[in-house]
Amino acid sequence: MARTECVGWQFFSLAALVAAVAVLLSVGAIAQGTDGRGLEKPWMNESLSPDERAAMVLHEMTLDEKIQLVHGDGWGVLRKGSFVDPRSNLGAGFTHGIDRLGIPDINLADSAVGIRMAALQSRYATLLPSGIGAASSWDPDAAFLYGSVIGRELRAQGFNMSIGGGVNITREPRNGRNFEYAGEDPVLAGTMVGQLMKGMKSQRVMSDIKHYALNDQETGRTVVNVQLDHKAMRESDLLAFEIAIGISNPSGVMCSYNLVDGDWACENDYLLNHVLKKNFGFKGWVLSDWGATHSTVKSALAGLDQEMPGDDNYFNQPLKKAVESGQVPTARLDDMVYRILRSMFDAGVVDHPPVRSVVDPFRGLDDAQHIAEESIVLLKNDGVLPLQAASTKSILLIGSHADVGVLSGGGSAQVDAPGGDAANPRPGPSEWGEPIYFPSSPLKSIRSHATTASVQYNDGKDRSEAARLARSAGLVIVFANQPMREGVDVPTLSLPGDQDALVEAVAAANPNTIVVLETGGPVTMPWAPRVKGILEMWYPGIGGAQALASILFGDVNPSGKLSVTFAKSDADLPHPVVPGLETAGPVDSDDQHLKVKPFDLRYTEGARVGYKWFESTHKEPLFPFGFGLSYTAFAYSGLKLDDAARTAQFTVKNTGSREGTEIAELYTALPATAREDYKRLVAFQRVKLAPGESKSVTLVLNPTYLSVFDTEKDAWQLLPGDYTVLVGSSSHETPLHSTLHVRP
Ligand code: BGC
């Protein structure tokens, strides 16, 4: 069967490598290295491959040392009263290295959008824009930069591994963690997160991608049994992982809390052994989400390589016993250890351990602002933007603490705000999940652009007072927010509280109203027709206010496009109510996911996630996937396809009077034999154009992105036939069409 095949193959190749290395060691054929103390450690020779070096270390290890590497040291600082290892760098995870062999500890820090818990040691960490925002830049270079900022700061703080890289697609738009991820499309999300992980590794820290797999909602995340057929899985959620892993060869993959088709994700033979290790060829190690290990033998045989954080104690003494009794073959334990060692050598953390230094907050700010400027999406502009600084007399900002800061996302992706929560200054760490504002003040940034205008702020708590003030302002900007966090989904797509009513009241009082959204995901906007402008700035990070002001005043021309579909109402989603929510506790409870009784969640929509669902069910979204406006205009022409090379060539022209960047999007509808009633995103490119300038763009159509997954053959299959290629500015605006012929 698949598992035996796969596991057997790994055992064989690893055993052969270790044996070969042992021979070379014994005859002294491998150049020797030393550890600086004069001890001979041949695996310290950097000219050897990570595989050779890992095999050499493994050959030297005792059973206890092997067991030591395959589990963490406990909840540590994450749980009050837990043991904190004195060697731990006080991140979310810690694994003891093997001093005798020069193998360093693994110090892991949560770092989805910046490094978590830095304040614990008076350290600073840059808050980057949320993942869903960065994905809205559609800029792989920005994603690489994002990862390298995190990697750089991890090293400076003394960590050698990140826990980040969330790539769960937005199957459930109310998922409390969507802000950590990269949107609804597997090609966009996989590309962006792959580049992010590459950027991280460029800084010589180990990378991790999560949460594998189908952990697409928080409600019931530790009890839900997700059901989805393998074809749909491979073409949607797993494709995002496949692409990201292919691009970046990450050190770790974190398996998730939920069950998939009856097996916990961390003891799921199909997901781990079969798809991840065999089909994707993943060479790193599988670590469990914190507390997501449920067994010793079953998990070990299904492909789990490391139990985190380690307190549940399945991979410590119980695993040792299971190996001694033969229930888990030694070769399997060796494979676990080998994967960890190999990843350490591969990422460079053995040869170049982190060196502590002071994080440079200014460099982080510049990088975060740059990414935010590309992430912000202009959704509506009735001629009100960009603002003219000289002729703007008075601006009123309303709501969302826009006087002091910008919102961030909660849970294990929370970064500590320098100086504490800007909206609620008080000593001590923040509570798990509470909304935290970062000191990037829209009021200050807007004032610094509109130097001759009166720029005031009202908190929006008293609607009639806000409307009264709005009446006499030249322009009103309402900041509306949707706090999101790990552990809890939002109950609806509506903005929380009475923010919709606030926007309506203000818009009725002043026709010059703009809305700026600070949301973790898509929201509904019943007031959209009555406001002049709408900007989605997501959780924009520490440079958010500066980025927003640059866009409002036209120093930066907006270029972001939605990485998720915005629905008109919850009723239009595949699941109008978040599955399991009916049995959950109150939606604002801290650990909603724990309060839900186990349930099955059948994803009947299959691979039709996001825009694919809307297209196949003929529903009109509020704003489609891939949509975003600019202060200039672009025209597309001249689509030419090359059937043999599978490339598309076309021209984009800036027809306006301002420099701008257009994201050109290429979609494909498969031949009828695929029986798909939606198109797929296949390629995209940012194109920077001066006024009047035209550029020819050539995009490569990756055959996997055009293929269907054949479960019989257990492989991607490119169907022969006619493929409709559509090119344009969004999933709804594709003026160029042509046919690609794929011959049998
Ligand atoms: C989260 C992970 C996180 C881990 C460690 C879990 O609750 O699901 O994403 O990395 O905790 O903090």
Side-chain angles (χ1 to χ4, degrees):
M1 234 221 52
R3 186 185 77 210
T4 348
E5 243 173 62
C6 157
V7 171
W9 175 83
Q10 285 159 3
F11 287 176
F12 170 76
S13 57
L14 177 55
L17 184 59
V18 175
V21 156
V23 171
L24 291 172
L25 277 172
S26 67
V27 299
I30 295 178
Q32 306 282 295
T34 67
D35 73 342
R37 290 171 299 172
L39 298 177
E40 285 191 341
K41 294 191 176 70
W43 49 88
M44 291 302 180
N45 180 345
E46 283 188 55
S47 67
L48 300 175
S49 71
D51 290 287
E52 288 166 321
R53 299 174 75 182
M56 286 171 158
V57 178
L58 183 63
H59 180 255
E60 299 294 315
M61 287 172 82
T62 64
L63 176 58
D64 284 328
E65 286 171 339
K66 290 176 186 172
I67 293 290
Q68 189 170 316
L69 270 195
V70 297
H71 64 87
D73 228 30
W75 283 91
V77 286
L78 291 183
R79 266 199 194 153
K80 245 192 179 145
S82 292
F83 166 73
V84 179
D85 194 295
R87 277 165 56 156
S88 154
N89 198 34
L90 308 185
F94 174 76
T95 293
H96 252 283
I98 315 293
D99 299 346
R100 177 180 81 85
L101 302 173
I103 299 304
D105 300 336
I106 304 176
N107 265 299
L108 304 97
D110 273 315
S111 41
V113 297
I115 303 168
R116 181 187 178 198
M117 296 189 299
L120 253 185
Q121 291 198 327
S122 302
R123 298 187 284 223
Y124 176 83
T126 296
L127 175 73
L128 291 155
S130 55
I132 199 170
S136 301
S137 74
W138 300 52
D139 182 356
D141 293 340
F144 186 94
L145 175 66
Y146 195 110
S148 58
V149 172
I150 295 176
R152 183 170 83 210
E153 298 189 359
L154 281 169
R155 275 184 73 77
Q157 294 193 13
F159 291 104
N160 59 7
M161 182 163 185
S162 106
I163 324 174
V167 74
N168 297 82
I169 56 172
T170 315
R171 189 178 272 282
E172 173 46 75
R174 293 150 299 194
N175 176 0
R177 302 189 81 170
N178 282 338
F179 74 91
E180 297 183 40
Y181 304 145
E184 69 190 26
D185 181 79
V187 171
L188 178 63
T191 306
M192 295 298 283
V193 174
Q195 289 298 331
L196 185 157
M197 312 289 283
K198 238 177 137 174
M200 185 107 59
K201 272 181 92 179
S202 74
Q203 301 299 308
R204 292 186 166 139
V205 294
M206 291 190 284
S207 55
D208 160 68
I209 193 167
K210 66 188 187 184
H211 304 89
Y212 187 76
L214 289 146
N215 178 189
D216 295 341
Q217 64 171 50
E218 291 298 279
T219 306
R221 68 173 171 168
T222 53
V223 293
V224 63
N225 175 32
V226 174
Q227 297 172 339
L228 180 63
D229 65 84
H230 289 172
K231 177 176 186 293
M233 222 185 254
R234 290 299 305 263
E235 292 174 3
S236 58
D237 289 64
L238 299 191
L239 178 57
F241 280 93
E242 182 169 3
I243 294 170
I245 291 169
I247 291 173
S248 62
N249 177 25
S251 317
V253 168
M254 180 192 286
C255 50
S256 55
Y257 283 124
N258 52 296
L259 299 97
V260 175
D261 288 334
D263 286 323
W264 296 105
C266 290
E267 52 182 54
N268 195 304
D269 180 63
Y270 175 73
L271 286 180
L272 303 182
N273 276 336
H274 189 81
V275 177
L276 180 65
K277 292 183 175 175
K278 182 172 171 238
N279 290 2
F280 297 175
F282 171 60
K283 290 197 167 91
W285 84 94
V286 178
L287 59 152
S288 70
D289 199 342
W290 271 226
T293 308
H294 293 272
S295 64
T296 301
V297 176
K298 184 171 178 189
S299 299
L301 296 181
L304 179 67
D305 300 306
Q306 190 183 49
E307 178 192 3
M308 292 304 283
D311 273 348
D312 294 329
N313 210 355
Y314 289 107
F315 270 26
N316 195 346
Q317 291 312 305
L319 181 60
K320 185 178 174 189
K321 282 197 191 104
V323 171
E324 283 168 340
S325 69
Q327 282 177 289
V328 172
T330 303
R332 174 66 191 109
L333 175 64
D334 284 354
D335 178 44
M336 296 175 187
V337 175
Y338 173 78
R339 286 171 172 277
I340 297 170
L341 293 170
R342 186 200 178 279
S343 304
M344 293 176 106
F345 286 115
D346 181 50
V349 302
V350 180
D351 305 318
H352 308 278
V355 179
R356 279 172 199 273
S357 61
V358 177
V359 166
D360 181 349
F362 303 105
R363 191 169 170 202
L365 173 65
D366 282 352
D367 291 341
Q369 181 178 337
H370 167 72
I371 299 168
E373 285 170 352
E374 291 194 344
S375 306
I376 293 173
V377 185
L378 177 62
L379 293 173
K380 180 172 181 183
N381 184 13
D382 277 356
V384 65
L385 292 169
L387 303 175
Q388 303 303 321
S391 56
T392 311
K393 297 279 171 281
S394 71
I395 307 177
L396 175 66
L397 312 190
I398 298 176
S400 197
H401 303 287
D403 53 338
V404 290
V406 293
L407 184 59
S408 59
S412 60
Q414 181 71 62
V415 174
D416 292 327
D421 181 359
N424 184 14
R426 67 202 171 287
S430 55
E431 289 297 315
W432 167 258
E434 73 178 305
I436 301 292
Y437 283 78
F438 271 64
S440 173
S441 156
L443 181 63
K444 279 191 197 156
S445 292
I446 290 170
R447 276 187 177 150
S448 73
H449 280 74
T451 45
T452 56
S454 149
V455 187
Q456 302 303 326
Y457 171 75
N458 171 270
D459 66 15
K461 285 187 185 140
D462 178 342
R463 209 155 59 222
S464 17
E465 174 63 3
R468 192 186 67 75
L469 292 171
R471 220 158 280 138
S472 51
L475 173 91
V476 187
I477 308 179
V478 184
F479 288 77
N481 68 50
Q482 177 208 41
M484 283 185 131
R485 59 178 160 122
E486 176 180 343
V488 185
D489 298 318
V490 289
T492 86
L493 292 174
S494 301
L495 286 167
D498 55 5
Q499 295 182 93
D500 282 337
L502 175 68
V503 177
E504 291 286 10
V506 171
N510 189 322
N512 263 345
T513 294
I514 295 171
V515 175
V516 172
L517 294 161
E518 283 176 90
T519 69
V523 289
T524 51
M525 303 176 214
W527 34 260
R530 288 173 292 285
V531 298
K532 278 231 171 103
I534 306 173
L535 280 153
E536 173 59 89
M537 76 163 170
W538 317 103
Y539 304 149
I542 190 66
Q546 295 88 325
L548 175 70
S550 304
I551 285 182
L552 286 172
F553 289 92
D555 294 349
V556 172
N557 193 347
S559 59
K561 298 215 177 160
L562 294 179
S563 54
V564 282
T565 303
F566 278 51
K568 284 186 180 152
S569 86
D570 292 74
D572 289 342
L573 301 176
H575 304 271
V577 176
V578 178
L581 197 62
E582 302 87 347
T583 49
V587 290
D588 59 352
S589 71
D590 259 1
D591 277 314
Q592 183 192 89
H593 64 93
L594 298 175
K595 297 195 171 152
V596 185
K597 290 199 189 71
F599 65 106
D600 289 341
L601 168 47
R602 184 169 287 285
Y603 281 132
T604 45
E605 72 275 16
R608 294 176 302 161
V609 173
Y611 64 93
K612 296 170 182 166
W613 168 257
F614 279 79
E615 185 171 336
S616 113
T617 56
H618 310 291
K619 292 187 163 103
E620 268 296 306
L622 176 62
F623 292 110
F625 172 78
F627 174 78
L629 300 169
S630 161
Y631 295 150
T632 186
F634 302 98
Y636 286 78
S637 62
L639 175 61
K640 283 191 217 88
L641 301 177
D642 181 329
D643 287 347
R646 293 208 189 97
T647 54
Q649 200 188 1
F650 55 91
T651 301
V652 187
K653 180 173 185 190
N654 181 346
T655 57
S657 53
R658 235 172 223 275
E659 182 186 276
T661 296
E662 167 70 335
I663 298 167
E665 303 168 30
L666 184 151
Y667 296 84
T668 302
L670 268 55
T673 46
R675 291 200 301 271
E676 271 185 13
D677 50 5
Y678 53 83
K679 59 183 177 294
R680 305 163 165 205
L681 177 72
V682 170
F684 56 88
Q685 189 167 309
R686 288 174 65 90
V687 191
K688 189 172 174 185
L689 294 163
E693 190 188 4
S694 294
K695 268 187 195 159
S696 168
V697 177
T698 303
L699 296 178
V700 176
L701 281 63
N702 183 320
T704 305
Y705 307 168
L706 302 176
S707 295
V708 292
F709 194 78
D710 183 331
T711 46
E712 295 274 291
K713 296 198 180 97
D714 195 29
W716 290 104
Q717 195 192 359
L718 186 62
L719 300 170
D722 292 348
Y723 289 67
T724 308
V725 172
L726 307 106
V727 175
S729 59
S730 84
S731 60
H732 268 215
E733 265 305 308
T734 49
L736 307 182
H737 292 202
S738 188
T739 305
L740 180 83
H741 307 280
V742 174
R743 305 278 171 237

